[in-house]
């Protein structure tokens, strides 16, 4: 069922834009500016694509954007799906299967997050080295379809070491000083309590957010290399002096967006598809 739906979505997308992207990018809340750096763009609203989930979060455009940066053909997701919107884990990773079917080999995933590591500051960008899934749920739960991947996928390199070094090398050229650390997925939609943040810090998290991990799991399962970049829009509960608001998160994300775009565009120009 899932397989047929994925194939149907992919054929529809191909009927609108018959290009083979090598790299996929998922753009987090307020982080859509990269789309302006793409050439020869084709936009496909999610609402047009059969079987695609539909989201209604402020700050999300909700469309696929095909285009090129340098010689690299890319497809960006401007707007992503979250567990807290009520999607099943399987629904919210559906687009990753479609992008893989369209041809992508690597996936960059960006997000807005809260900083837990005391040396982080709002405005920082963190290369994700590893994740902690606190959800007690996983997008691969259910019968396995061997046409996509194996029953028990390895996650020892959920974020490609090669891509992490590449991102670090490119950062200095783009004038960016990135952080590195572990991203913890929290279900949301409420922000964490101060006690939860202390607990997350104790188990090794440097940052917390409500996305990215499901897509990372699905992408690894599908054999894609993943690079994750978490943009620190605020310090987490109990560390921050003020209360959180989504408007504030999006406003800071918008400010970080230019730095992120410069860095990611510099990477894409030199990207070596495996
Ligand atoms: N917690 C969870 N998700 C977030 C945060 C946070 O503090 N900031 C941005 N996304």
């Amino acid at each position: 069922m899932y397989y047929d739906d994925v194939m149907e979505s992919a054929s529809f997308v191909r009927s609108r834009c018959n290009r083979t992207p090598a790299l996929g990018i998922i753009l987090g809340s307020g982080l859509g500016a990269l789309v302006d750096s793409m050439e020869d763009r084709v936009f496909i609203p999610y609402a047009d694509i059969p079987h695609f989930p539909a989201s209604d979060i402020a700050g999300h455009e909700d469309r696929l954007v095909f285009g090129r940066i340098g010689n690299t053909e890319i497809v960006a997701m401007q707007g992503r799906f979250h567990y807290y919107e009520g999607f099943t884990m399987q629904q919210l990773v559906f687009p990753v299967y479609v992008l893989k079917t369209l041809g992508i080999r690597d996936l960059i995933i960006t997000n807005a997050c809260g900083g837990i590591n005391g040396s982080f500051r709002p405005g920082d960008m963190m290369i994700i080295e590893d994740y902690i899934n606190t959800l007690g749920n996983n997008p691969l739960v259910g019968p396995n379809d061997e046409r996509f991947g194996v029953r028990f996928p390895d996650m020892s390199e959920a974020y490609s070491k090669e891509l992490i070094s590449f991102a670090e090398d490119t950062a200095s050229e783009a004038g960016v000083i990135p952080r590195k650390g572990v991203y913890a997925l929290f279900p949301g939609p409420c922000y964490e309590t101060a006690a939860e943040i202390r607990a997350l810090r104790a188990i090794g998290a440097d940052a917390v957010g409500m996305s990215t991990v499901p897509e990372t799991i699905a992408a690894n399962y599908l054999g894609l290399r993943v690079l994750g970049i978490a943009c620190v829009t605020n310090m987490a509960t109990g560390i921050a002096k003020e209360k959180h608001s989504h408007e504030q998160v999006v406003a800071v994300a918008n400010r970080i967006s230019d730095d992120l775009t410069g860095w990611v565009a510099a990477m894409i120009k030199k990207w070596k598809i495996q």
Side-chain angles (χ1 to χ4, degrees):
M1 180 63 182
Y2 203 81
Y3 185 86
D4 294 344
D5 289 354
V6 170
M7 295 305 139
E8 203 182 319
S9 285
S11 335
F12 173 84
V13 171
R14 276 199 204 98
S15 74
R16 285 279 188 93
C17 180
N18 197 11
R19 278 148 65 170
T20 305
L23 172 66
I25 306 175
I26 301 176
L27 297 165
S29 311
L31 299 169
L34 186 81
V35 164
D36 303 329
S37 316
M38 293 165 55
E39 288 165 28
D40 288 337
R41 291 178 302 179
V42 174
F43 298 94
I44 307 177
Y46 296 159
D48 293 358
I49 307 174
H51 312 297
F52 244 59
S55 167
D56 57 0
I57 304 301
H60 283 253
E61 299 278 357
D62 284 343
R63 56 192 182 177
L64 288 184
V65 187
F66 283 81
R68 220 178 26 255
I69 295 183
N71 293 321
T72 310
E73 279 286 343
I74 55 192
V75 57
M77 285 183 65
Q78 199 173 17
R80 67 134 64 78
F81 305 100
H82 304 86
Y83 186 68
Y84 61 74
E85 292 173 83
F87 296 112
T88 64
M89 295 287 265
Q90 289 76 13
Q91 280 174 318
L92 69 92
V93 298
F94 183 84
V96 179
Y97 287 70
V98 175
L99 299 196
K100 157 78 183 185
T101 306
L102 292 171
I104 67 162
R105 313 287 280 277
D106 297 323
L107 180 64
I108 302 178
I109 309 182
T110 65
N111 64 48
C113 71
I116 296 177
N117 184 316
S119 73
F120 290 2
R121 293 289 170 270
D124 282 349
M125 291 181 283
M126 182 187 92
I127 299 173
I128 307 179
E129 288 185 296
D130 211 343
Y131 71 72
I132 297 172
N133 178 5
T134 72
L135 227 56
N137 200 348
N138 186 301
L140 306 180
V141 167
N144 185 51
D145 190 329
E146 295 280 336
R147 287 171 289 188
F148 287 127
V150 297
R151 172 76 288 191
F152 299 108
D154 179 77
M155 285 291 149
S156 56
E157 211 180 317
Y159 299 95
S160 154
K161 289 196 170 66
E162 211 176 331
L163 293 181
I164 290 172
S165 331
F166 174 61
E168 284 183 293
D169 294 345
T170 322
S172 47
E173 290 165 34
V176 166
I177 302 170
R179 311 291 191 150
K180 271 201 295 189
V182 172
Y183 175 89
L185 170 65
F186 192 81
C190 59
Y191 289 99
E192 304 71 32
T193 64
E196 284 167 337
I197 293 301
R198 287 194 297 276
L200 290 176
R201 187 204 292 260
I203 60 171
D206 295 290
V208 60
M210 304 175 193
S211 67
T212 301
V213 173
E215 296 100 318
T216 300
I217 293 171
N220 275 273
Y221 168 67
L222 295 168
L224 303 174
R225 292 192 303 180
V226 180
L227 173 68
I229 302 177
C231 299
V232 182
T233 51
N234 56 279
M235 293 311 288
T237 314
I239 307 170
K241 303 235 171 0
E242 59 290 333
K243 293 194 173 187
H244 306 307
S245 81
H246 182 60
E247 291 65 33
Q248 182 64 10
V249 165
V250 173
V252 179
N254 279 321
R255 284 207 291 280
I256 303 176
S257 194
D258 283 347
D259 285 349
L260 179 76
T261 297
W263 181 22
V264 171
M267 282 191 236
I268 296 174
K269 283 188 189 133
K270 299 166 68 175
W271 201 275
K272 289 195 185 59
I273 304 299
Q274 58 172 353

